[in-house]
Amino acid sequence: MSKIWRPDLTQFDGPKYLALCHALRDAVRSGALPEGARLPPVRELAWALSITPGTVARAYQIVTQEGLLEATVGRGTFVAARAPRLGPTQPIFEEIEAERLGLSASNLIDLRSPQLPEVGQTAAISAILVQIAGQMGQDHLEYPSLRRDVPLRMAYADWLGDQALGPFTEEEIALTLGGQNALGITLQCCLRGERPHIYCEELAYAGFRRAARLNRAEVVPVTLDEEGMVPEALDAACRRYGGRIVCITPEAQNPTTARMSLARRAEIVRVARRHDLQIVEDNCYSVASASGPALRALAPERTWHITSLSKSVSAGLRFGAVICPTGLGEAARLAAQHSYFGLPRPVSDIAYALFRSGEAARLRDRVQATFARRQEIAVNLLGRHELRWQPGLSFLWLPMPRGWRASTFAREAEANGILIRSADEYALVDGRAPNAVRIALAGAIAEADFTAAITRLAQLLDSPPDDLPV
């Protein structure tokens, strides 16, 4: 284009990257950006709009995934079509390449997600794969059956035995391809009707709303306080919308780190029973010490407890599970069979060997030790601010001190090569976004680099925008 396209983002609500997404869609559909038109380079548009290159790159990526744009290496980004493609349009986890931000890979510290440290997983899984290779047989060529994974389910029940989940056996367990898949299977079991409603914390993991949309459900945000979901707000939402499912994280609320008291959990259960809600309890983040019984223990007749190894042993293994309400394990396993037949045999074999040998527990303990060390570093450097955290949790919640807005702080951090998440990335549609950011205790980053990044964030906090050099 001979003249740079410069949209007016002030007409759109929400964070800048979403405003730019809306502007791109409108311009393509109206013909202001015709098919085949080349969009401005990321850094050029960022300069013109006074936003960061990362904001522009993120918007380009989202609209490209919708099919309206196409990116060609070495040529740039072009308008591809005037109608979006079908299916999901946004990723749950977005990979950001350093080059798109004008940085080298060595200068980019990603604190958006708490990547696991390497503490022996590679060697352990490699040894198991060698063992599996020597034991391959005809049964490795067959479809998974509903009974073949009983030994693995029993081993996983033992693994979960020290958690206060209430009485259950392997018959209440359905194995899944990670926690996100477990959420999808649970919703498939529970949802009914044309456009059902799902209640969710007003700040929540994006996977909840992605899974809801795939299942044609409407998400209703429910107010949070310092203990998590507010029972009175859930009750009011039920009276207004009549939904049947509530998704909740009582032990380690993501992103605020809130933990529910036993009294609050009991009240949530009373509301759920009053309105006959199914409870989806997300417990994928490992916490060193539980504060009390899980919702599954308090309401075993209606709680679907979701777990995985992604935050404790290996995200790449894609192993998760649902501890189903009493008597509903078979229903969940049938839903899994209808969706993907069952876990791939190599994944089942690896997981079973990790559990039975005790290696899974040893790896989990080493991972938690690394996160504990990262947490100590971060709390020492940021603790003079209103930092929220809990032992064993791999992320921090940082309300902004006076003089900072979360979006501005995230942009300034990005300009310094540090990626964090602003609260608005967790806000549901029509939900509120507090002035705060989430910082992950990224275990895959060298400790020296992690310490340097947290030190730089602390320095930024002490220099709000009015004090920053022009």
Side-chain angles (χ1 to χ4, degrees), residues 386-402:
E386 191 187 343
L387 191 66
R388 299 178 188 173
W389 55 280
Q390 56 168 294
L393 196 54
S394 53
F395 58 86
L396 313 166
W397 184 241
L398 179 62
M400 289 287 95
R402 185 175 181 178

Side-chain angles (χ1 to χ4, degrees), residues 54 162 380:
D162 60 348
N380 285 339

Side-chain angles (χ1 to χ4, degrees), residues 34 59 74 169 205 210-211 242 244 298 305 320 323 390 421 452 469:
T169 70
Y205 162 58
R210 303 287 188 262
R244 309 299 294 178
L298 299 177
H305 185 92
I323 316 303
Q390 56 168 294
R421 293 192 186 279

Side-chain angles (χ1 to χ4, degrees), residues 35-236:
E35 290 188 26
R38 184 178 185 275
L39 269 69
V42 167
R43 298 191 70 83
E44 187 176 333
L45 185 58
W47 177 265
L49 298 179
S50 299
I51 57 180
T52 68
T55 299
V56 176
R58 188 173 184 186
Y60 276 15
Q61 182 183 50
I62 290 171
V63 182
T64 297
Q65 290 170 338
E66 294 175 1
L68 295 179
L69 306 178
E70 63 179 0
T72 304
V73 177
R75 295 185 60 236
T77 303
F78 297 82
V79 177
R82 297 182 66 173
R85 68 182 184 213
L86 301 178
T89 59
Q90 290 180 267
I92 294 175
F93 177 74
E94 178 190 4
E95 295 186 73
I96 293 182
E97 298 177 359
E99 292 77 9
R100 289 189 358 218
L101 304 182
L103 300 168
S104 66
S106 61
N107 291 329
L108 182 65
I109 303 296
D110 192 344
L111 303 182
R112 295 172 305 148
S113 181
Q115 312 102 325
L116 294 183
E118 163 55 61
V119 293
Q121 299 98 319
T122 302
I125 294 174
S126 295
I128 293 169
L129 287 172
V130 170
Q131 182 181 4
I132 292 171
Q135 299 173 347
M136 292 287 288
Q138 179 66 31
D139 57 341
H140 283 77
L141 308 180
E142 306 297 335
Y143 284 109
S145 72
L146 289 175
R147 302 301 302 173
R148 188 206 72 193
D149 64 0
V150 169
L152 177 53
R153 284 190 270 128
M154 293 176 67
Y156 197 57
D158 290 341
W159 161 271
L160 296 170
D162 60 348
Q163 300 186 32
L165 302 180
F168 73 96
T169 70
E170 71 277 3
E171 289 304 311
E172 271 73 58
I173 298 178
L175 302 178
T176 65
L177 297 167
Q180 184 67 23
N181 181 229
L183 175 59
I185 291 297
T186 298
L187 296 185
Q188 290 167 24
C189 288
C190 297
L191 288 174
R192 297 289 184 273
E194 289 286 329
R195 296 294 291 179
H197 287 89
I198 294 175
Y199 304 115
C200 191
E201 296 144 335
E202 63 181 346
L203 292 176
Y205 162 58
F208 282 138
R209 58 183 182 270
R210 303 287 188 262
R213 287 170 183 168
L214 279 177
N215 286 278
R216 307 295 188 266
E218 299 284 349
V219 176
V220 178
V222 180
T223 303
L224 294 172
D225 65 11
E226 66 279 359
E227 284 195 35
M229 184 177 284
V230 176
E232 295 79 7
L234 176 61
D235 184 69

Side-chain angles (χ1 to χ4, degrees), residues 414-436:
E414 180 184 289
N416 282 265
I418 306 168
L419 303 180
I420 57 177
R421 293 192 186 279
S422 177
D424 55 34
E425 295 192 40
Y426 297 91
L428 300 177
V429 177
D430 299 324
R432 298 176 297 170
N435 189 27

